[in-house]
Amino acid sequence: MSDTISKFEEMTKNADVKPSFKISSLDDKPYPYKSEIVNKLEKEYPTIANEFQEIMVAQYELFAQKMLSYGMGNISMGSNLETKDEVKFSLTSIWIRMNDKMNRLKNLVLLGNKNPLDNEPTMDSWVDLTNYGVIAQIVSKGKWKK
């Protein structure tokens, strides 16, 4: 995973890398589907808005790589997510994964613990938490299907 995250970090640091899609148009005219608040944010905080968009695109690309590698079964826990119990089980497994990441971050960031055998950068956990959060929303909406 560290190779993927290194690529992710490089994508979000490189000013020459442009996402394959962008929320704002290239000529700074707002798309008609963007809300007034998004247009205002992009106007008042262009650096933050652009960086947020680039990170989200890079995370989407990482999600695509992982999705094609793992398939749907690791999130659906071998079910079709057709019943409330199946969805609850899936969301519980996502919560457990997120809890693992949060505990790792607590040890690294808050407590300053360093594991000499740990080759996974802290950024990996932040990225994983974001993607698991989106996956949980997809499962909750009943959209975890082809």
Side-chain angles (χ1 to χ4, degrees), residues 77-94:
M77 302 302 292
S79 76
N80 291 325
L81 298 176
E82 293 173 349
T83 69
K84 287 182 182 181
D85 285 341
E86 290 172 345
V87 170
K88 183 177 180 180
F89 185 50
S90 174
L91 291 172
T92 301
S93 72
I94 295 168

Side-chain angles (χ1 to χ4, degrees), residues 9-10 13 19 32 43 60 62 65 73 76 78 86 92-93 96 101 109 114 118 122 125 130 138-139 144-145:
E9 288 177 330
E10 190 61 35
K13 287 180 185 175
K43 183 177 179 183
Y60 183 61
L62 177 62
Q65 290 174 358
S76 66
E86 290 172 345
T92 301
S93 72
I96 290 168
K101 299 297 177 180
V109 176
K114 303 263 188 259
D118 191 0
T122 304
S125 293
T130 302
I138 295 169
V139 169
W144 193 257
K145 53 184 115 186

